[in-house]
Amino acid sequence: MIRALDVLVAGGGIGGLAAALALASAGHRVTVLERREDFTEIGAGIQIAPNGFAALDRLGVGRAVRQRAVLVEELRLMDAVSGERLTAVPVGERYRRRFGHPYAVVHRADLYTPLLDACRAEGRIRLLTGAELTAQSEEPSGRVTVGTADGRRHEGDLLVGADGIRSAVRARLLDDGPPRPNGHTIYRTLLPITDVPAHLRSDAVTLWAGPGYHLVHYTVAGGASLNLAAVLDDGAAEAVSALPAERAAVLARFPKLAATPRALLELGRDWRRWVLCDRDPAPRWTRGRITLLGDAAHPMLQYAAQGACQALEDAVTLGALLTGAAPADLPTRLTRYESVRRDRTARIQLLSRRMGTELFHPLGPAADARDALLRPLTEDGLHDRLAWLHEEQPLPAP
């Protein structure tokens, strides 16, 4: 009889908890090591496409997330300067029939909390906080050991690095330096929907594209809040995260806006600022009995709205491939996990970069070319272009 594996998962975010659930469902014992003192998810809105919901269903939390989500009827692309509607992707009933799942938006906590609740209810999962990794190694015995800042030592059959874009596991595994700022600053705020006039509310994800900038907004938290983000291609070269930003400074950085996006921007309060970062696709992210998952493996810009969905796909794929695995199987199974996931995630990383320049921020003739490409597309044509990205991904056999 094959014994259950002892799995160490570094990182208690969306990817780490999803990995823990998938591996526990495969019959293994999982210890999640979270560096913070509690399990929380910071941030505001997040978009979930059908491929993400397919993975959530496989993890057993799809229904709970749907109950908290706001279903979207349309993905709108607007001209931020003229106010003109450029195109829209219908994601209502016809889209849901084709892809088998909805397109929805949630507050990050409304995705994270069902994952956390499911992990707490699973007897095979142990959740540890205050466990920042300080060391990791593979032992001659075939086991993996990690040390944490609180002085504890943990041992398992494998280590999954799901510790985000600045992954400590990746730094020791690949030694490929920090993530790269891409020159875009994003300002985010979350508003009570009661502060938003009725004519500015909608059941769509709306993106206002301008020359070198864009705004995006949609409702979250069951319709109780409006998530608003404004992105500027300003050449920012220093990574910053969640720094407070003065309202007047935000307004001054986006002077050329049509009336509707200007009105939305002026509603914003309590702005915070990030500089977006990503990495080039990695040729590999597995070595021996250590592998990476989610942003630790393939951090991507938010323009394709697939970061969380890809972490969820990673998790269910890893769980499928480790079903029935013995300790001796791990190097081969982990290498196969990487090979199954690498090309798809690399394609989305590169797509996300192109979308920022070619779809959301083009200038002059490039913007005209974008408009000429998008306007003739029918509903079916738009869905066809999204199919490879949004379709449910088949799971590999173990």
Side-chain angles (χ1 to χ4, degrees):
M1 179 178 179
I2 297 174
R3 71 167 175 84
L5 299 172
D6 294 311
V7 184
L8 303 175
V9 175
I14 289 168
L17 296 186
L21 282 176
L23 292 163
S25 295
H28 305 306
R29 296 180 292 267
V30 185
T31 299
V32 179
L33 304 169
E34 168 54 46
R35 64 178 179 81
R36 293 172 296 182
E37 294 303 321
D38 53 14
F39 283 90
T40 57
E41 180 67 15
I42 60 173
I46 191 168
Q47 300 178 47
I48 309 177
N51 59 310
F53 276 112
L56 289 169
D57 285 347
R58 286 167 169 157
L59 295 170
V61 297
R63 182 175 181 180
V65 175
R66 283 178 178 83
Q67 289 174 341
R68 299 163 178 258
V70 176
L71 297 188
V72 176
E73 295 298 322
E74 203 171 54
L75 308 178
R76 294 178 189 156
L77 182 65
M78 311 287 290
D79 188 304
V81 178
S82 70
E84 178 186 3
R85 180 186 176 103
L86 298 175
T87 193
V89 181
V91 290
E93 186 58 35
R94 188 173 177 185
Y95 170 93
R96 293 168 199 152
R97 286 197 305 270
R98 173 166 180 174
F99 292 103
H101 303 276
Y103 196 103
V105 291
V106 296
H107 190 284
R108 291 187 75 91
D110 291 332
L111 171 58
Y112 186 77
T113 300
L115 291 168
L116 181 60
D117 289 345
C119 284
R120 285 175 168 159
E122 171 55 69
R124 299 182 189 90
I125 297 175
R126 184 170 59 140
L127 301 171
L128 300 181
T129 58
E132 181 178 2
L133 262 68
T134 56
Q136 68 194 47
S137 62
E138 282 195 73
E139 305 300 329
S141 64
R143 302 277 278 177
V144 177
T145 61
V146 302
T148 53
D150 56 6
R152 287 180 286 183
R153 180 177 177 274
H154 304 274
E155 184 176 299
D157 293 298
L158 71 150
L159 170 63
V160 179
D163 48 344
I165 190 169
R166 292 173 178 82
S167 166
V169 177
R170 179 178 180 134
R172 295 184 179 92
L173 188 70
L174 302 184
D175 190 26
D176 58 351
R180 178 183 64 186
N182 83 319
H184 293 182
T185 296
I186 181 168
Y187 299 91
R188 292 187 175 110
T189 189
L190 196 65
L191 306 171
I193 200 67
T194 52
D195 290 352
V196 181
H199 71 282
L200 296 178
R201 306 178 193 178
S202 75
D203 57 1
V205 173
T206 303
L207 188 141
W208 300 84
Y213 64 86
H214 77 270
L215 275 68
V216 63
H217 57 90
Y218 48 84
T219 56
V220 294
S225 300
L226 181 76
N227 181 69
L228 176 62
V231 181
L232 184 65
D233 187 350
D234 59 356
E238 180 182 355
V240 299
S241 180
L243 294 183
E246 293 293 333
R247 176 176 178 271
V250 176
L251 293 174
R253 301 207 76 187
F254 299 87
K256 297 180 180 179
L257 290 173
T260 297
R262 170 58 57 183
L264 285 160
L265 195 70
E266 290 179 349
L267 291 174
R269 301 290 189 277
D270 300 321
W271 290 97
R272 290 192 174 270
R273 174 172 65 95
W274 286 256
V275 170
L276 299 178
C277 299
D278 72 348
R279 294 181 182 273
D280 291 333
R284 61 179 304 178
W285 66 65
T286 292
R287 184 175 301 149
R289 297 165 185 268
I290 302 175
T291 194
L292 304 175
L293 182 147
D295 281 349
H298 43 71
M300 54 189 65
L301 302 175
Q302 87 273 18
Y303 298 129
Q306 277 286 312
C309 292
Q310 291 309 301
L312 295 169
E313 284 187 9
D314 286 350
V316 296
T317 302
L318 184 61
L321 285 171
L322 295 189
T323 299
D329 302 331
L330 285 172
T332 299
R333 300 263 186 129
L334 295 179
T335 298
R336 185 159 175 239
Y337 153 71
E338 176 192 292
S339 68
V340 168
R341 296 295 300 151
R342 185 179 54 225
D343 288 351
R344 175 169 167 80
T345 56
R347 184 181 179 187
I348 298 170
Q349 283 178 283
L350 297 176
L351 169 70
S352 298
R353 285 183 183 174
R354 291 198 307 274
M355 289 178 70
T357 55
E358 298 173 13
L359 185 63
F360 297 164
H361 298 170
L363 305 171
D368 294 339
R370 173 202 62 194
D371 299 348
L373 175 67
L374 292 175
R375 283 197 177 101
L377 291 175
T378 64
E379 180 174 356
D380 285 341
L382 290 164
H383 291 172
D384 288 344
R385 285 178 173 255
L386 288 172
W388 74 272
L389 188 62
H390 288 183
E391 283 177 345
E392 179 175 350
Q393 297 300 296
L395 291 181

